[in-house]
Amino acid sequence: MTTTPPDGPPVPVRVVLPDGQELTARLWARRETPRGWLYEVGLPAYRNTEDGDVQAAEYRVWVRAPEHVQPVDGVSYDMVPTERLPPPSAVREVLGPRRPSGWVLQKAGDRGPGGTVLHAVDCTEAPQNAPLLPLERALDVAEQPGIRLCSLCGAAAELDPVLRGFDRIDGG
């Protein structure tokens, strides 16, 4: 992640509250996440002191942008500390997104005759809400008699070399 250092006081920003009200807050930082941008804003508030007095305060919270944050006309946000995600690697761009990890067991009773099948977690044939098996447990299950590895999702192609040895991949 890259971070822009703070170069001054926070800048004003409009925050949209859950009930639709808008108020001006102070923007402290921005952060890019895999799910989008988050902005750390300071909302004006009051708090009670220990001696029973009331004083101005600020409540800081991370909110989603642009859903909950709007710019103030004429304000520059160039100097706001900003954390950005690193650019995607060339390998990830070529290969695309990774498959979710884990394996799912479809028991014989779920599919009628034909045995029990081990699927990758994202297989369209995998049962919904089945317990997720880590690789080690999936390998143990795959070695049991009567277990078939799904060829639709690639479970067979991915687990067979580990179970039977990588020298058999080339057909030998």
Side-chain angles (χ1 to χ4, degrees), residues 51-133:
D51 62 358
D53 204 4
V54 176
Q55 66 181 198
E58 180 177 75
Y59 173 73
R60 287 200 191 178
V61 63
W62 288 93
V63 295
R64 213 164 273 302
E67 298 95 320
H68 307 127
V69 181
Q70 300 294 320
V72 172
D73 291 337
V75 174
S76 172
Y77 296 96
D78 294 341
M79 301 313 257
V80 175
T82 303
E83 293 180 30
R84 293 185 179 274
L85 291 175
S89 72
V91 171
R92 191 55 46 220
E93 285 186 33
V94 170
L95 295 178
R98 291 183 60 180
R99 159 183 267 169
S101 62
W103 306 92
V104 175
L105 193 60
Q106 183 177 25
K107 297 186 177 165
D110 296 343
R111 53 180 289 110
T116 301
V117 182
L118 188 61
H119 298 276
V121 70
D122 61 344
C123 181
T124 57
E125 297 292 315
Q128 298 297 312
N129 302 321
L132 191 65
L133 303 175

